[in-house]
Amino acid sequence: MLKGQKALVTGANSGIGRATAIGLGRAGADVVVNYVADRDAAEQVVDEIKGFGVRAAAYEADVSQEDQVIAMVDGMVQEFGTIDILVANAGLQRDARLTDMTLAQWQKVLDVNLTGQFLCAREVTKEFLRRGVVPEVSRAAGKIICMSSVHQLIPWAGHVNYASSKGGVLMMMQTLAQELAPQRIRVNAVAPGAIRTPINRSAWETPEARKDLLRLIPYDRIGDPDDIAYAVVGLASDLMDYVVGTTLYVDGGMTLFPGFATGG
Ligand code: NAD
């Protein structure tokens, strides 16, 4: 489905990014696996992707650092020839109630979750614009998929930095989609609900936590990283060429206000 396309996935040595990088490779794309720590985990992802007969490489960069993002995208273009797909996935949480939240916690989350996506989007767009549409490869000049969250919509007490960063991702995604659509660049987002990864271990690790969490999910199961990977592969493919500026919620119905199923 993505044969001959070159994809960059940030934060791709863990969780959703890992599954997405592997999913893109399985769909035929060559993949750069970005990571900021744990090179071994990144190399494992690379090996798995190479098993599909496509190219893959690990690239260390902190997405919140401008010089590192510029160097990563330049390096990818030099090594892989170009770039067709960005999955801006890297993200983290630094949770605290408002009065306990330090400026460093606020800033770190905004820097990685929002500024990191901005920097990556800006740099890959330069390459999309330079190269333009190559019809044998894709109908679009490039695809950007922002990893957002249901918390771009659902307020989240105790996580004001995270929810604000994802709210920012929504407006950044829509604005870039509007700005870049005339150049045939498609910008969209995927908004996961509760997916079993290291970022939210405490929410699913114990039976009590799992029960609490499932109360918020009408479909009555916690998501797997592959649930998100399939959505990203779909959005990146030409089958969804007319999908521009949309958020695809992949959340088992979490955004359906499940409290109203029996109350209200
Ligand atoms: P994860 O902790 O498994 O993965 C996050 C990845 O981002 C890791 O590889 C981490 O090293 C990387 N990262 C962190 N800071 C970075 C930086 N400065 N530069 C480069 N990489 C960096 O968690 P995950 O659940 O796979 O999260 C992936 C994305 O999905 C995040 O944007 C997260 O907000 C989003 N998300 C996750 C869930 C969920 O339930 N797991 C729900 C909604 C949204």
Side-chain angles (χ1 to χ4, degrees):
M1 201 177 345
L2 300 175
K3 202 168 175 336
Q5 301 201 42
K6 323 284 179 197
L8 168 61
V9 183
T10 65
N13 61 347
S14 175
I16 289 171
R18 179 181 194 283
T20 298
I22 292 168
L24 291 166
R26 191 183 291 116
D30 298 325
V31 185
V32 169
V33 173
N34 159 257
Y35 68 100
V36 71
D38 195 352
R39 182 172 185 93
D40 286 352
E43 290 296 350
Q44 278 173 22
V45 179
V46 165
D47 287 346
E48 200 163 328
I49 294 171
K50 282 181 177 166
F52 301 120
V54 297
R55 292 180 66 192
Y59 202 106
E60 182 181 346
D62 178 338
V63 296
S64 67
Q65 300 300 314
E66 185 175 32
D67 54 341
Q68 295 184 35
V69 172
I70 291 171
M72 174 169 65
V73 174
D74 282 355
M76 176 168 176
V77 170
Q78 269 172 33
E79 211 178 309
F80 282 62
T82 190
I83 173 165
D84 304 282
I85 299 162
L86 165 68
V87 185
N89 165 79
L92 43 71
Q93 291 180 212
R94 293 286 184 271
D95 306 330
R97 305 291 301 181
L98 175 62
T99 49
D100 297 325
M101 188 174 286
T102 63
L103 178 58
Q105 286 173 316
W106 168 267
Q107 198 64 55
K108 178 76 180 173
V109 172
L110 270 291
D111 282 352
V112 174
N113 294 12
L114 184 57
T115 306
Q117 294 206 11
F118 157 74
L119 289 171
C120 292
R122 189 187 68 186
E123 290 314 304
V124 302
T125 296
K126 291 175 185 169
E127 172 60 13
F128 295 163
L129 293 174
R130 183 200 66 74
R131 194 206 52 237
V133 177
V134 180
E136 311 81 75
V137 176
S138 175
R139 295 177 74 182
K143 279 90 56 164
I144 296 174
I145 293 147
C146 300
M147 197 56 66
S148 188
S149 163
V150 291
H151 295 296
Q152 70 171 24
L153 185 72
I154 304 175
W156 202 16
H159 309 259
V160 67
N161 47 2
Y162 185 83
S164 302
S165 74
K166 297 301 186 180
V169 166
L170 168 63
M171 196 43 70
M172 181 191 74
M173 180 280 287
Q174 290 180 324
T175 299
L176 296 183
Q178 187 193 62
E179 181 170 325
L180 300 173
Q183 279 81 41
R184 284 293 170 107
I185 296 167
R186 291 197 295 120
V187 187
N188 289 287
V190 172
I195 311 298
R196 207 184 306 267
T197 75
I199 209 175
N200 57 358
R201 189 177 294 282
S202 62
W204 50 261
E205 212 167 31
T206 65
E208 305 79 61
R210 237 185 345 264
K211 197 163 151 242
D212 270 359
L213 184 57
L214 285 173
R215 263 200 281 272
L216 302 175
I217 309 172
Y219 205 58
D220 202 32
R221 76 167 171 88
I222 298 171
D224 296 314
D226 274 344
D227 290 315
I228 306 304
Y230 298 140
V232 171
V233 170
L235 273 176
S237 87
D238 276 3
L239 293 176
M240 299 218 185
D241 186 58
Y242 209 50
V243 179
V244 174
T246 290
T247 297
L248 180 52
Y249 287 90
V250 185
D251 67 353
M254 193 178 243
T255 41
L256 297 173
F257 299 99
F260 280 80
T262 50

